[in-house]
């Protein structure tokens, strides 16, 4: 399939079980223990269609290098039971040298597992758990996995203590005893993917999900008011912000729907408080009319869209990059606004922070396109830098007679009077208007205000933040991708580099306004480019072709969700493309 | 000071110099006057007031006032005003709508604004028609009102906004008539003074598309009863009311909704410690 990265110390584990078996809890503990052991890692949870109690899988990848993608295969699969495993089989690729731990109490493993040719070893997880008072099989499995992957016992103990804090000493001891039983059993099993002992690291690390990271970025950027309506997979941003805002002196309101939430944040921001909402595709669709209002009335707001499979209700729990078109083009009229996308879980902090900065500085709506993969995966990452933007809204303190809210100022950004400012009274207006804000259907006013709203966005200095340009800048072959797809692409390029093939990688964060000149500069010397994205209709590719005037021939590799991109798939695609 | 004695010039100071687009004789002119009278009686500094509206003839009001204003999109004024008031509790926030804006496209927000009970005053200029789009039926239109879009009438029972407001949790419910600007100003003063969500329906004839509404001046009467805080009595009163009783019809004692803001905020760098390995 692809070059392996075993030499880095790198192992992928799947733990499956039916609802209530506790695979997600065990997965979270495993990631925590790995973090304490000095590893990087990523934890993806996958669950069936049931709201609660359905089958679930904890998909964990641990490595001595930063992890941004799921690997091509799982090296270790532990089945607490095989309930509905067929539904997950396609998400759980196994190879002949994978190890499958099966509990004989569940009968023989199902055909989908056997036919992979993976090595199957029986371990009586349930019986081992029964031997421990109040012991549970998921804890036995956790100990077994920790042992097989080489995580030190004390990290396991610390992870258990943290998660079970408050559950009482008895619960902790029972879990610990079960985990230690699993750990002891691991010693007798053959497994060649043990992680090397960590040698200590300089940078401090965080354990965080993309949704939490986006929430943190928003707070860093100064957001103090959030209104929102729950929707998968954005809800965790809101739940994290509800608690986070309460601590920093802000507040979150649950609105009756997305039509309300978007208008509530426009109201709050008009009142002077930086404001945000988070949603997913269906919610974004409902918000578009009012995002246009924020464009016309020049009220800064931030909208985070954690994309999922679409259209319609689509696939709520799986990732896709298919809301690009609605984010770019979903507003009626000529409505310039900002669209940005984070390029990794850690980058969600920066990009959300930057989005607030851009919205406030330019008095526009800024849309942030995250997705389910970034949002709901939890990773161990180097602590993201805190780039303090001087987020400032241009306001007026004292106003003489004749304040003109929509004055045609140089650069297009006109000072905003915040309610309470004497003499600054004006009506924020969604109708086309005069510089004073009075409704107008005159051609001169329409053109002047359209120009104003366009120029302020086009004239802004986005600096180097507009894109991440990495890998080999001297190569004359370029890969262009965006958002969560950048993670697996980076890993694919690392593997190709090990084989002596190098590529330039361009990951734009700034999607709108389109930046053809910046892109042309980034592509200088490039003979061909390949555009990679998770969309059935190649939305990003067509956008680049239509609006970026690419200076070189470009090809597209695109496909929809729900399956994630794995590095091996991309290695193959990129290699074939570059050889053509 | 009471409404009668507020000087005309004090009220006029709340008007902007923008000439309304309304048809001559439209009820909304006197609603505008009633609002300025009420602000003058309350002595509100214009910069401390924000008037938020949706879309419709009636929703044009903010531009005609010398306060802060927001002329938003159709149907969402109560939501926008909710965000503003929660973020800026120091402001006096008044919302203005028509019956289409407030009860049709904005119907869900109306329910939830009543239920949420944020300290807002919601003035709906009810003319039982869509004025701005030139004469279509609204949720409060009589079922047999003939028009081009639904010839012969909608056949649908009219919506009773006051009953809905009561059932949904509004804390203050009143009805005024544009032909009585002094009485309407009085209602608006009380609505603003009463904490929580105050709903004031103002019968405001559309002389262009509903010339029959000129007769409203003969139909309206002061409600023959005193304001009540008894929700059961109010329900009976509103359910049996013919739509022409004017005055304060219900005053509750619900505590307004506010977002709690900590007095001792910490810095973002403190909360991010939770992510440290
Ligand atoms: C989303 C949307 N749909 C439709 C319209 C068209 N529209 C403008 S005003 C209006 C109805 C206004 O009626 P009402 O709220 O009763 O106010 P009035 O004009 O009678 O004062 C409609 C349907 C619009 N502006 N926006
Ligand atoms: S159409 Fe009716 S509601 Fe609109 S301004 Fe004219 S009279 Fe008033």
């Amino acid at each position: 399939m692809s070059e392996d990265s075993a030499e880095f110390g790198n192992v992928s584990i799947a733990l499956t079980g039916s609802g209530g078996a506790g695979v997600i809890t065990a997965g979270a503990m495993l990631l925590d223990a790995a973090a304490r052991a000095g590893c990087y890692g990523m934890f993806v949870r996958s669950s069936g269609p049931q709201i609660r109690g359905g089958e679930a899988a904890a998909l964990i990848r641990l490595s001595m290098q930063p992890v941004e993608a799921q690997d091509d295969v799982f090296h270790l699969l532990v089945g607490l039971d095989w309930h509905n495993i067929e539904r997950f089989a396609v998400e759980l690729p196994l190879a002949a040298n994978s190890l499958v731990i099966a509990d004989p109490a569940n009968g023989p493993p199902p055909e989908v597992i056997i036919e992979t040719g993976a090595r199957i070893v029986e371990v009586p997880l349930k019986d081992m758990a029964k031997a421990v008072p109040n012991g549970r099989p998921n804890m036995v499995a956790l100990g077994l996995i920790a042992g097989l992957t080489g995580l030190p016992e004390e990290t396991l103990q610390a992870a258990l203590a943290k998660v079970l804090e408050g559950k009482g000493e008895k619960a902790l001891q029972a879990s610990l005893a079960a985990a230690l039983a699993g750990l002891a059993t691991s010693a007798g099993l053959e497994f060649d993917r043990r992680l090397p002992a960590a040698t200590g690291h300089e940078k401090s690390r965080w354990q965080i999900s993309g949704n939490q990271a986006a929430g943190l970025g928003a707070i860093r950027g100064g957001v103090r008011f959030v209104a929102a309506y729950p929707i998968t997979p954005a809800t965790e941003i809101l739940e994290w912000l509800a608690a986070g805002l309460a601590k920093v002196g802000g507040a979150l309101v649950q609105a009756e729907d997305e039509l309300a939430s978007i208008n509530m944040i426009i109201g709050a921001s008009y009142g002077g408080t930086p404001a945000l909402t988070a949603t997913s595709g269906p919610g974004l669709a409902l918000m578009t009319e009012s995002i246009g209002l924020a464009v016309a009335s020049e009220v800064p707001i931030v909208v985070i869209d954690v994309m999922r499979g679409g259209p319609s209700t689509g696939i709520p729990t799986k990732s896709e990059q298919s809301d690009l078109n609605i984010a770019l083009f979903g507003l009626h009229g000529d409505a310039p606004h900002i669209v940005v996308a984070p390029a990794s879980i850690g980058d969600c902090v920066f990009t959300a922070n930057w989005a607030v900065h851009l919205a406030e500085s330019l008095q526009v709506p800024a849309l942030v396109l995250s997705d389910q993969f970034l949002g709901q995966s939890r990773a161990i990452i180097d602590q993201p830098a805190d780039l303090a933007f001087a987020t400032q809204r241009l306001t007026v303190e004292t106003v003489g007679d004749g304040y003109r809210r929509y004055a045609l100022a140089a650069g297009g950004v006109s000072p905003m009077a915040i309610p309470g400012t004497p003499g600054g009274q004006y009506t924020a207006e969604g109708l086309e208007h005069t510089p004073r804000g009075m409704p107008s259907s005159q051609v001169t006013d329409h053109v002047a205000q359209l120009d104003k709203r366009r120029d302020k966005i086009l004239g802004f200095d986005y600096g180097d933040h507009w894109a991440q340009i990495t890998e080999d800048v001297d190569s004359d072959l370029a890969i262009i991708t965006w958002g969560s797809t950048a993670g697996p692409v980076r890993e694919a390029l690392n593997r190709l580099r090990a084989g002596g093939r190098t590529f330039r990688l361009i990951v734009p964060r700034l999607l709108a306004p389109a930046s053809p000149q910046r892109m042309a500069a980034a592509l200088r010397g490039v003979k061909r480019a390949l555009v990679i994205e998770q969309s059935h209709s190649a939305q990003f590719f067509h956008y680049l072709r239509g609006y970026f005037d690419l200076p070189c021939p470009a090809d597209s590799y695109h496909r929809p969700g729900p399956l994630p991109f794995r590095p091996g798939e991309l290695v193959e695609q990129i290699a074939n493309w570059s050889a053509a | 000071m009471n409404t009668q004695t507020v000087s005309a010039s004090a009220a006029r100071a709340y008007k902007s110099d923008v000439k309304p687009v309304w048809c001559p004789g439209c009820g909304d002119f006197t609603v505008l006057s009633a609002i300025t009278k009420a602000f003058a009686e309350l002595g509100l500094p214009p910069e401390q007031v924000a008037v938020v509206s949706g879309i419709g003839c009636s929703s044009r009001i903010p531009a005609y006032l010398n306060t802060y204003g927001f002329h938003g999109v159709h149907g969402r004024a109560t939501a926008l005003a909710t965000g503003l008031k929660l973020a800026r509790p120091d402001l006096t926030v008044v919302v203005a709508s028509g019956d289409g804006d407030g009860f049709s496209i904005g119907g869900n927000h109306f329910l939830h604004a009543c239920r949420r009970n944020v300290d807002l005053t919601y003035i709906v200029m009810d003319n039982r028609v869509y004025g701005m789009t030139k004469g279509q039926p609204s949720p409060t239109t009589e079922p047999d009102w003939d028009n081009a879009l639904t010839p012969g009438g909608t056949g649908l029972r009219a919506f009773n906004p006051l009953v809905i407001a009561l059932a949904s949790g509004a804390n203050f419910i009143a009805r005024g008539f544009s032909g009585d600007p002094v009485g309407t100003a009085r209602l608006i003063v009380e609505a603003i003074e009463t904490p929580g969500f105050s709903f004031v329906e103002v019968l405001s004839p559309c002389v262009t598309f509903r010339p029959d509404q000129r007769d409203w001046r003969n139909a309206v009467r002061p409600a023959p009863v005193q304001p009540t805080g008894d929700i059961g009595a109010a329900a009976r009163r509103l359910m049996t009311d013919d739509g022409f009783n004017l005055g304060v019809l219900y005053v509750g004692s619900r505590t307004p909704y506010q977002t709690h803001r900590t007095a001792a905020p910490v810095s973002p760098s403190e909360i991010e410690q939770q992510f440290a390995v």
Side-chain angles (χ1 to χ4, degrees):
Chain A
M1 205 179 199
S2 70
E3 289 95 318
D4 205 311
S5 44
E7 70 271 21
F8 294 135
N10 165 29
V11 60
S12 288
I13 307 126
L15 177 62
T16 68
S18 51
V23 299
I24 301 300
T25 309
M29 288 171 170
L30 184 67
L31 190 76
D32 194 51
R36 291 165 195 271
C39 303
Y40 290 98
M42 176 183 264
F43 169 31
V44 175
R45 43 173 90 184
S46 184
S47 46
Q50 283 93 337
I51 306 302
R52 215 182 175 127
E55 61 284 0
L59 311 176
I60 297 131
R61 187 174 182 200
L62 304 178
S63 174
M64 306 318 286
Q65 301 288 316
V67 178
E68 289 191 274
Q70 294 195 56
D71 207 347
D72 303 333
V73 295
F74 286 91
H75 309 108
L76 176 61
L77 167 66
V78 180
L80 291 183
D81 60 61
W82 301 118
H83 183 66
N84 283 336
I85 191 75
E86 308 76 31
R87 292 193 193 161
F88 283 115
V90 64
E91 287 183 51
L92 301 174
L94 295 171
N97 60 356
S98 301
L99 171 63
V100 175
I101 304 289
D103 188 339
N106 297 320
E111 197 50 38
V112 282
I113 300 291
I114 293 171
E115 70 194 11
T116 63
R119 183 163 56 100
I120 298 172
V121 172
E122 293 194 331
V123 176
L125 301 167
K126 284 201 177 98
D127 286 349
M128 288 168 68
K130 268 189 213 134
V132 176
N134 295 318
R136 297 190 58 206
N138 65 334
M139 291 297 111
V140 177
L142 171 65
L144 186 71
I145 296 167
L148 288 171
T149 53
L151 298 180
E153 184 181 320
E154 59 281 8
T155 64
L156 189 60
Q157 285 179 345
L160 281 165
K162 184 179 155 202
V163 175
L164 296 173
E165 192 187 358
K167 294 255 159 94
E169 190 56 27
K170 253 174 95 183
L172 176 60
Q173 288 314 325
S175 294
L176 200 56
L180 291 179
L183 192 75
T185 305
S186 72
L189 295 174
E190 232 177 274
F191 187 62
D192 63 357
R193 304 291 301 207
R194 275 179 76 91
L195 294 164
T199 49
H201 46 86
E202 276 160 31
K203 286 192 202 152
S204 44
R205 292 192 189 157
W206 279 9
Q207 217 193 118
I208 195 168
S209 73
N211 277 345
Q212 292 171 326
L216 176 62
I219 284 186
R220 277 188 179 175
V223 166
R224 292 296 179 271
F225 183 87
V226 172
Y229 189 75
I231 186 167
T232 305
T235 308
E236 298 91 8
I237 299 187
L238 307 170
E239 290 177 341
W240 187 83
L241 276 170
L245 284 168
K247 292 190 189 110
V248 298
L252 178 141
V253 180
Q254 181 175 336
E256 55 270 31
D257 57 28
E258 289 86 351
L259 304 164
S261 53
I262 187 77
N263 278 280
M264 285 181 183
I265 68 166
I266 293 172
S269 178
Y270 165 78
T273 304
L276 168 144
T277 189
T279 187
S280 190
L284 180 66
L286 285 179
M287 290 177 187
T288 52
E289 183 197 17
S290 297
I291 297 174
L293 171 65
V295 170
S297 59
E298 301 198 47
V299 175
I301 50 165
V302 177
V303 179
I304 302 179
D305 172 12
V306 187
M307 297 181 288
R308 61 193 219 181
S312 189
T313 312
I315 310 181
T317 54
K318 298 290 176 191
S319 213
E320 203 166 74
Q321 296 182 295
S322 49
D323 290 351
L324 178 64
N325 279 349
I326 186 177
L328 294 170
F329 303 117
L331 311 187
H332 58 288
D334 288 312
H337 60 285
I338 301 286
V339 181
V340 292
S344 67
I345 290 178
D347 194 44
C348 290
V349 180
F350 170 83
T351 302
N353 187 349
W354 192 42
V356 181
H357 169 66
L358 295 177
E360 291 286 320
S361 305
L362 294 168
Q363 301 177 9
V364 286
L367 274 53
V368 181
L369 289 180
S370 178
D371 62 28
Q372 185 274 337
F373 180 70
L374 291 178
Q376 293 194 318
S377 301
R378 207 176 157 73
I380 303 161
I381 58 171
D382 290 326
Q383 178 176 347
D386 188 355
L387 283 127
F389 291 105
T391 293
Q392 269 192 3
R393 196 186 290 193
L394 189 61
T395 56
V396 287
E397 299 305 325
T398 49
V399 203
D401 260 3
Y403 168 62
R404 290 158 15 119
R405 166 67 186 97
Y406 302 108
L408 304 173
V413 178
S414 46
M416 188 169 173
I418 304 301
T421 309
Q425 294 97 292
Y426 75 101
T427 295
E429 189 51 87
L431 282 169
E432 192 55 281
H433 41 260
T434 65
R436 248 193 86 192
M438 294 305 142
S440 166
S441 49
Q442 299 293 312
V443 60
T444 44
D445 287 322
H446 188 42
V447 174
Q449 294 295 325
L450 284 169
D451 286 351
K452 172 188 197 291
R453 296 189 290 256
R454 177 198 59 200
D455 292 348
K456 66 180 183 178
I457 287 181
L458 290 185
F460 190 78
D461 179 8
Y462 298 92
D464 290 340
H465 303 310
W466 83 276
Q468 286 185 341
I469 301 166
T470 45
E471 309 302 323
D472 189 343
V473 286
D474 293 328
S475 170
D476 61 4
L477 294 177
I479 308 297
I480 311 175
T481 188
W482 72 285
S484 69
T485 302
V489 167
R490 270 190 286 264
E491 183 166 345
L493 295 186
N494 281 340
R495 292 189 195 175
L496 286 161
R497 188 184 312 101
R501 284 167 290 178
T502 56
F503 299 84
R504 192 177 304 184
L505 175 63
I506 303 169
V507 186
R509 274 196 195 96
L510 183 70
L511 300 174
S515 324
Q517 281 138 1
R518 292 181 195 100
M519 183 62 85
L523 285 171
R524 197 160 295 137
V526 167
K527 291 211 172 68
R528 289 196 296 138
L530 177 66
V531 180
I532 304 180
E533 64 185 302
Q534 195 176 29
S535 145
H536 187 252
S537 63
Q539 296 181 9
F540 185 51
F541 176 69
H542 292 298
Y543 179 54
L544 290 175
R545 291 276 295 252
Y547 288 76
F548 281 70
D549 198 19
L550 296 179
C552 60
D555 297 296
S556 167
Y557 178 61
H558 61 275
R559 63 162 178 78
L563 294 182
F565 281 124
R566 295 180 191 277
E569 171 189 359
L570 299 177
V571 164
E572 197 178 310
Q573 291 293 333
I574 295 169
N576 290 344
W577 167 77
S578 65
Chain B
M1 248 191 327
N2 66 38
T3 327
Q4 274 85 0
T5 59
V6 161
S7 78
S9 70
R12 223 176 298 123
Y14 290 91
K15 280 197 182 153
S16 76
D17 54 10
V18 180
K19 200 172 152 291
V21 293
W22 296 320
C23 312
C26 174
D28 296 347
F29 281 103
T30 42
V31 181
L32 173 63
S33 296
I35 291 172
T36 58
K37 277 194 180 68
F39 290 169
E41 183 179 337
L42 290 162
L44 298 171
E47 71 274 10
Q48 284 298 327
V49 180
V51 180
V52 178
S53 70
I55 297 293
C57 300
S58 39
S59 290
R60 290 289 187 124
I61 273 196
Y64 310 144
L65 291 163
N66 179 30
T67 61
Y68 279 91
F70 206 127
H71 185 206
V73 294
H74 195 26
R76 319 289 167 218
T78 46
L80 197 149
T82 296
L84 175 59
K85 180 67 185 182
L86 292 176
R88 291 290 307 276
D90 57 309
L91 300 174
T92 298
V93 182
V94 174
V95 195
S97 278
D99 40 298
D101 193 72
F103 309 142
S104 191
I105 192 167
N108 191 35
H109 308 307
F110 177 51
L111 301 186
H112 291 278
C114 293
R115 168 177 167 249
R116 203 174 274 115
N117 195 34
V118 171
D119 188 14
L120 299 170
T121 291
Y122 189 30
I123 301 169
V124 177
M125 285 152 266
D126 191 349
N127 54 15
R128 303 185 186 174
V129 73
Y130 288 6
M132 178 127 274
T133 48
K134 303 193 174 8
Q136 300 79 31
S138 87
T140 51
T141 303
E142 304 79 349
D144 56 353
W145 183 70
D146 189 36
N147 66 92
L149 192 61
T150 59
T154 60
L156 300 176
R157 192 187 127 120
F159 177 97
N160 187 334
L162 281 71
V163 173
I164 303 290
L166 183 74
S168 307
N171 202 41
F172 175 98
I173 298 171
R175 185 186 289 117
F177 173 51
S178 63
D180 171 23
V182 172
T184 302
R186 185 70 241 153
L187 296 178
I188 295 170
V189 166
E190 282 184 47
I192 292 174
E193 283 179 329
T194 307
F197 189 79
S198 299
F199 172 51
V200 184
E201 179 192 51
V202 183
L203 301 173
S204 179
C206 172
V207 293
T208 302
F209 297 106
R210 298 296 308 262
D212 52 307
Q213 290 174 350
R214 288 181 191 275
D215 288 345
W216 277 0
R217 76 170 75 96
N218 304 319
V220 295
R221 65 186 93 77
V225 286
Q226 289 302 305
T228 177
D230 177 337
I231 199 159
R236 225 172 359 265
R237 177 183 293 181
L238 295 176
M239 286 297 290
T240 53
D241 161 302
D242 67 353
F244 292 103
N245 288 319
L246 306 183
V248 178
L249 300 166
Y250 172 73
V251 189
S253 51
R254 288 181 67 204
T255 310
Y257 174 83
Q258 278 175 310
T259 47
H260 172 75
R261 306 276 171 146
T262 174
V266 304
S267 76
S269 54
E270 267 174 76
I271 58 171
E272 65 197 37
Q273 288 315 314
Q274 64 185 278
F275 301 120
V277 167

